[in-house]
């Protein structure tokens, strides 16, 4: 989910932060659960978990569903930075393209497609 939300240029950073927060959650969850068990008792751990669950349900109830997107990487030939910038602008104008990134120095293009628009485009082409 994070890789679909994050901008193409920041995808690696977003995935790294998400992974780090997951591990911090496991660490603090075990620490808080152990402290509650030791100082308050087993029922406190259960009640605390239920409170966190209810809080999460409140947060989730306001969320909107994400658009279904697909990301595809294409290998390109050699090109200058100017050609890469021009290609990126052209790709961004294609119907169904949510985001495009061209890295001329590496000869690659990465395109994030909105699946609904891509299916509509395919049905018009064929």
């Amino acid at each position: 989910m994070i890789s679909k939300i994050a901008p193409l240029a920041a995808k690696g950073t977003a995935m790294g932060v998400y992974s780090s927060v997951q591990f911090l959650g496991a660490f603090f969850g075990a620490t808080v659960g152990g402290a509650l068990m030791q100082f308050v008792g087993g029922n406190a751990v259960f009640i605390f978990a239920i409170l966190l669950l209810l809080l999460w349900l409140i947060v989730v109830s306001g969320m909107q569903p994400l658009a279904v997107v697909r990301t595809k990487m294409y290998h390109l030939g050699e090109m200058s930075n100017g050609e890469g910038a021009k290609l990126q602008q052209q790709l961004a104008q294609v119907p169904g393209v949510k985001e495009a990134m061209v890295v001329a120095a590496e000869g690659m293009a990465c395109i994030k497609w909105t699946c609904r628009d891509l299916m509509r485009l395919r049905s018009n082409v064929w």
Side-chain angles (χ1 to χ4, degrees):
M1 183 168 78
I2 293 298
S3 67
K4 294 184 185 300
I5 296 171
L8 290 172
K11 193 174 188 177
T13 302
M15 297 288 286
V17 169
Y18 180 75
S19 180
S20 297
V21 170
Q22 276 185 313
F23 285 110
L24 284 174
F27 171 76
F28 285 116
T31 303
V32 171
L36 283 172
M37 180 73 170
Q38 182 176 358
F39 298 114
V40 183
N43 288 338
V45 176
F46 183 70
I47 292 169
F48 184 68
I50 288 175
L51 291 174
L52 285 178
L53 175 66
L54 292 174
L55 177 66
W56 179 244
L57 288 174
I58 291 168
V59 169
V60 168
S61 67
M63 290 183 172
Q64 299 296 321
L66 297 174
V68 179
V69 295
R70 299 280 186 255
T71 303
K72 179 98 171 125
M73 183 181 292
Y74 298 93
H75 295 284
L76 309 170
E78 293 182 23
M79 66 175 54
S80 68
N81 287 337
E83 291 172 326
K86 183 177 178 182
L87 178 60
Q88 182 170 329
Q89 289 174 346
Q90 291 171 340
L91 289 172
Q93 300 303 315
V94 174
V97 173
K98 184 174 180 179
E99 184 180 358
M101 178 181 72
V102 175
V103 182
E106 296 180 17
M108 64 80 98
C110 194
I111 302 173
K112 191 181 287 190
W113 299 91
T114 305
C115 291
R116 182 190 65 212
D117 294 336
L118 180 60
M119 292 302 163
R120 191 177 311 133
L121 180 65
R122 282 184 179 174
S123 68
N124 291 338
V125 171
W126 289 305

